[in-house]
Amino acid sequence: MKPPHQAVWPQPNLPALPPLLPGTAEVVEEFARVIYGHTPPGGELTTLELTAREDGVLDGAADRLHHHAVINCPLGDLELDTLTHLPPGASAQHPVPVVVVLNFSGNDETIDGQQAHRWPYAKVMAAGYAVLTVDYRQIEPDDPNPSAPGVRSLFLTDPESWGAVAAWAWGLSRCLDIAARIPGIDPAGAIALGHSRLGKAALWAGLQDERFAVTVSNDSGCCGASLFRHPGGEDIAAITERFPHWFVPSFAKYAGKENELPVDQHQLLAGLAPRRVYVASAEDDAWADPLGEYLAVVAAAPAFADDGIGYHVRPGGHDLLEEDWLLALAFAQR
Ligand code: GTR
């Protein structure tokens, strides 16, 4: 889809963007230091139990598998319950690539709950991909004062040394560990995909985990794909006020001082090169600043080979729609 915006940086009356960083390692270090925090090493998938399997669901479009996984961390185990859809015919002899996506409100909601429109499983199967999901709250609660601890309490580091977005990103990598053990899934060609706050997590996961061949950000906005230095929508003051647990506490000192931030999000997108990244925006999603997302893509593009970075903006609001999936998968398959 053709981006409707013709704008490029520099923008009149807006500051220059910081230059692209030399490589992925530098991007990880800078963004860990300033925004997301440092993800500690560790977290090993031990037990993976298939707890249920139904073949031929969705009128034969998919086989549905439920797994219970145990991830061994330095201070205890994290347990994850994953839901996987496989195209029929996917097997150890004929494995398919996987899209790893966290969900907001439970695995079952992706099938027939209020979130089901965000999960066009049959179409994704027809495109030749498996989908593996887990409830993001099982990895780390989305609460500044959680009643139950998450994975950040299972490491020896200070829990505040990495934010909840980084914890969810860590969880995406553990989901890929799980996917790699499921017969019928080929971990090569894996896609990390996320919507909104989980789009921020997908970008941070894709950057750090080179097994993700393609990273897809959908409406990820502030601290996701959109530029801090392009005003519009959510800013640092708003995001750190409402979601102090998402990032390192020191990030809040840049509230109202976007221009002093040492980084900007085009650098994060560029850090994914030479792997590939796709940014999806929605015209009416002003809070995520679709133009700021587009400008970040344009500013990151010099880091990529042809077709290494892609973008679309569709009509409508803040949501993950079938159209977003299919355009992203078409990009991945090019
Ligand atoms: C909003 C938040 C955004 C975005 C969104 C979402 O409230 O301000 O950064 O993450 O939530 O996750 O739906």
Side-chain angles (χ1 to χ4, degrees), residues 1-14:
M1 180 179 289
K2 169 171 84 64
H5 310 299
Q6 299 305 323
V8 288
W9 218 269
Q11 289 270 293
N13 308 322
L14 292 180

Side-chain angles (χ1 to χ4, degrees), residues 246-317:
W246 283 3
F247 310 108
V248 287
S250 57
F251 177 52
K253 74 181 181 213
Y254 293 103
K257 299 181 183 162
E258 269 69 12
N259 300 347
E260 292 173 29
L261 196 70
V263 294
D264 213 323
Q265 297 304 99
H266 64 303
Q267 297 170 306
L268 186 146
L269 297 178
L272 286 148
R275 290 172 296 125
R276 300 173 72 220
V277 59
Y278 191 76
V279 174
S281 302
E283 280 169 9
D284 300 336
D285 187 11
W287 192 237
D289 188 14
L291 180 54
E293 295 192 323
Y294 172 71
L295 290 167
V297 169
V298 172
F304 293 90
D306 275 358
D307 225 9
I309 186 165
Y311 175 85
H312 77 247
V313 57
R314 57 151 175 82

Side-chain angles (χ1 to χ4, degrees), residues 104 195-198 200 220 222 234 239 242-243 246 287 318:
F104 283 92
H195 170 62
S196 203
R197 67 197 67 187
L198 300 178
K200 310 180 209 298
S220 63
C222 182
E234 192 171 28
I239 204 167
R242 287 174 67 206
F243 307 110
W246 283 3
W287 192 237
H318 189 68

